[in-house]
């Protein structure tokens, strides 16, 4: 009977189970994630190589003129080294980890989840998946508030394949805004990338000018109607609040329209 139980456990029948309970279902980039992992032994003894926690998301990549959804591991944390899990045993493992500063925000269709897994040799690895609600950090909220003051409306948030811009990740999160007041008629859209850097925040702005006249139409057709601007906001700038940051953004954008 033991042999057949081991065979069944190797394909997931009567095997160990894992479940994670998050104490922090809502987090910010650079914040802390904490919770507890519950492990329950199956019908037979199993050797667990390790327990790990992964933070994952999806991003869009173009392949052969098609947009495909791929999965990226943003961070991975080791909870335990190897141990033997006895039949029916119940274990708990508390955890608390610092999250990366470049954790994507879960706005619109962007999603982030925590995947907890047990590495078990010669068996189907049991896993558990929990959604994570990621909200903007204080500095990001200051910039988003400034963009709102300038009359821009958030149209879309996407994770797009861009390994040259993503640093240690294969993608960037792009915030796409459309002008509704001051810059309406001058810009088609404003795209913003956030690069948190500890106490400061770097922005990459893609300013897409609206075509005006024959020269503007040619510029749009040739792709020269866009400007890329890097803007570094230090702690002293961000501490002044959204209205002060809005003034700086307005000056930068106005120079490129």
């Amino acid at each position: 009977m033991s042999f057949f139980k081991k065979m069944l456990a190797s394909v997931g029948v009567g095997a160990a189970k894992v479940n994670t309970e998050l104490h922090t279902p809502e987090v910010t980039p650079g914040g802390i994630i904490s919770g507890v992992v519950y492990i329950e032994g199956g019908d037979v003894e199993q050797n667990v190589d390790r327990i790990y926690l992964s933070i994952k998301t999806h991003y869009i990549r173009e392949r052969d003129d098609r947009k495909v959804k791929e999965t990226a591991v943003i961070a991975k944390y080791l909870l335990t080294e190897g141990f033997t899990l006895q039949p029916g045993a119940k274990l708990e493992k508390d955890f608390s980890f610092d999250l990366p500063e470049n954790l994507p925000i879960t706005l619109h269709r962007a999603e982030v989840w925590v995947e907890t897994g047990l590495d078990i040799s010669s068996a189907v690895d049991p896993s558990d998946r929990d959604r994570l609600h990621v909200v903007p950090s204080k500095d990001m909220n200051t910039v988003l508030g400034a963009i709102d003051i300038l009359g821009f409306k958030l149209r879309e948030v996407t994770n797009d394949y861009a390994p040259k811009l993503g640093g240690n990740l294969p993608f960037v999160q792009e915030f796409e805004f459309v002008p509704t007041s001051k810059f309406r008629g001058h810009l088609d859209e404003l795209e913003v990338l956030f690069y948190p850097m500890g106490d400061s925040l770097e922005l990459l702005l893609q300013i897409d000018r609206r075509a005006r006249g024959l020269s503007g139409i040619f510029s749009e057709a040739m792709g020269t109607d866009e400007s890329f601007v890097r803007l570094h906001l230090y702690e002293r700038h961000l501490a002044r609040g959204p209205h002060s940051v809005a003034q700086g953004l307005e000056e930068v954008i106005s120079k490129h329209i």
Side-chain angles (χ1 to χ4, degrees):
M1 178 65 72
S2 177
F3 170 79
F4 289 105
K5 283 186 176 181
K6 288 182 178 179
M7 290 294 293
L8 289 171
S10 69
V11 294
V13 179
K17 298 178 182 179
V18 61
N19 180 53
T20 297
E21 182 179 295
L22 296 176
H23 296 160
T24 50
E26 181 176 290
V27 297
T28 59
I32 295 175
I33 183 172
S34 63
V36 58
V37 176
Y38 298 96
I39 308 103
E40 183 177 349
D43 295 336
V44 297
E45 178 184 286
Q46 290 182 289
N47 292 321
V48 180
D49 293 333
R50 60 180 179 170
I51 303 177
Y52 59 88
L53 197 82
S54 298
I55 310 295
K56 296 185 176 183
T57 191
H58 289 134
Y59 65 92
I60 300 299
R61 181 175 184 177
E62 287 194 12
R63 290 183 181 272
D64 301 322
D65 297 324
R66 293 189 305 111
K67 290 186 176 182
V68 296
K69 184 185 288 188
E70 298 194 349
T71 302
V73 178
I74 304 166
K76 193 168 185 175
Y77 309 95
L78 180 65
L79 271 65
T80 68
E81 298 290 351
F83 65 96
T84 300
L85 184 61
Q86 299 296 330
K90 293 184 178 181
L91 305 176
E92 296 181 14
K93 178 64 179 177
D94 293 315
F95 65 86
S96 180
F97 298 108
D98 292 330
L99 290 165
E101 289 188 318
N102 57 352
L103 186 69
I105 306 303
T106 51
L107 283 174
H108 294 200
R109 289 174 291 177
E111 61 175 345
V112 175
W113 68 91
V114 179
E115 189 171 288
T116 310
L118 306 185
D119 274 351
I120 300 179
S121 300
S122 303
V124 175
D125 293 337
S127 64
D128 180 50
R129 177 169 165 170
D130 299 273
R131 283 187 175 235
L132 200 59
H133 182 42
V134 187
V135 298
S137 65
K138 180 181 177 181
D139 289 346
M140 291 180 70
N141 268 326
T142 297
V143 175
L144 291 171
I147 294 173
D148 181 68
I149 289 170
L150 293 177
F152 287 95
K153 179 182 179 181
L154 183 63
R155 178 164 63 187
E156 193 172 14
V157 179
T158 56
N159 294 341
D160 298 319
Y161 178 73
K164 292 183 179 179
L165 295 175
N168 64 328
L169 297 177
F171 70 93
V172 294
Q173 185 165 61
E174 184 178 282
F175 291 72
E176 185 178 299
F177 300 87
V178 291
T180 61
S181 55
K182 180 177 178 59
F183 291 103
R184 189 174 183 179
H186 298 281
L187 298 181
D188 280 333
E189 62 186 21
L190 173 68
E191 296 175 6
V192 182
L193 305 183
F194 291 88
Y195 293 94
M197 304 178 72
D199 293 334
S200 63
L201 184 63
E202 186 173 80
L203 308 178
L204 178 59
L205 309 178
Q206 181 175 333
I207 303 167
D208 189 356
R209 296 181 295 276
R210 173 159 293 186
R212 286 177 288 178
L214 190 59
S215 62
I217 293 173
F218 279 120
S219 293
E220 192 170 71
M222 296 173 65
T224 58
D225 61 322
E226 295 178 345
S227 296
F228 293 88
V229 181
R230 284 193 179 273
L231 180 62
H232 202 111
L233 299 174
Y234 293 92
E235 185 178 14
R236 63 180 183 274
H237 300 136
L238 295 163
R240 295 170 186 161
H243 285 277
S244 178
V245 173
Q247 291 177 359
L249 284 174
E250 183 176 1
E251 291 178 10
V252 171
I253 295 171
S254 297
K255 289 179 181 179
H256 294 84
I257 59 176

